[in-house]
Amino acid sequence: MSGRRRRVTMSTRDDLQELWDLYVAAYRSRNASGCAAIFTENAEMHSPYGPPARGRAAIEALHEIWVQHAGPNKTLQVIEAGSSGI
């Protein structure tokens, strides 16, 4: 290539997978704060495994319970993702 720089961009799927990989690493190490850190302060988390959690503090509190039983085999894989360009 000449003097131009090549711009490398990740896909939405790759971006989301990177985020969930951070979450899984925190979950496996039983780090509830690390799990909650991927959520915004005013996030809502809805799961079939517990009541809705509103706000990062509530998400962290719920994870405090969940990570007590964390095993080394937790995985999350982004199968399909897209964006609206917003």
Side-chain angles (χ1 to χ4, degrees), residues 22-33:
L22 292 171
Y23 172 88
V24 168
Y27 191 92
R28 286 179 176 179
S29 65
R30 299 181 178 192
N31 179 351
S33 177

Side-chain angles (χ1 to χ4, degrees), residues 24-30 67-76:
V24 168
Y27 191 92
R28 286 179 176 179
S29 65
R30 299 181 178 192
V67 298
Q68 291 177 22
H69 308 287
N73 299 322
K74 174 87 170 172
T75 62
L76 289 170

Side-chain angles (χ1 to χ4, degrees), residues 10 16-17 20 26 28 36-37 57 69-71 83:
M10 293 178 69
L16 290 172
Q17 187 63 59
W20 285 117
R28 286 179 176 179
H69 308 287
S83 68

Side-chain angles (χ1 to χ4, degrees), residues 11-14 16 78-83:
S11 70
T12 298
R13 186 203 150 288
D14 292 338
L16 290 172
V78 178
I79 305 297
E80 186 176 329
S83 68

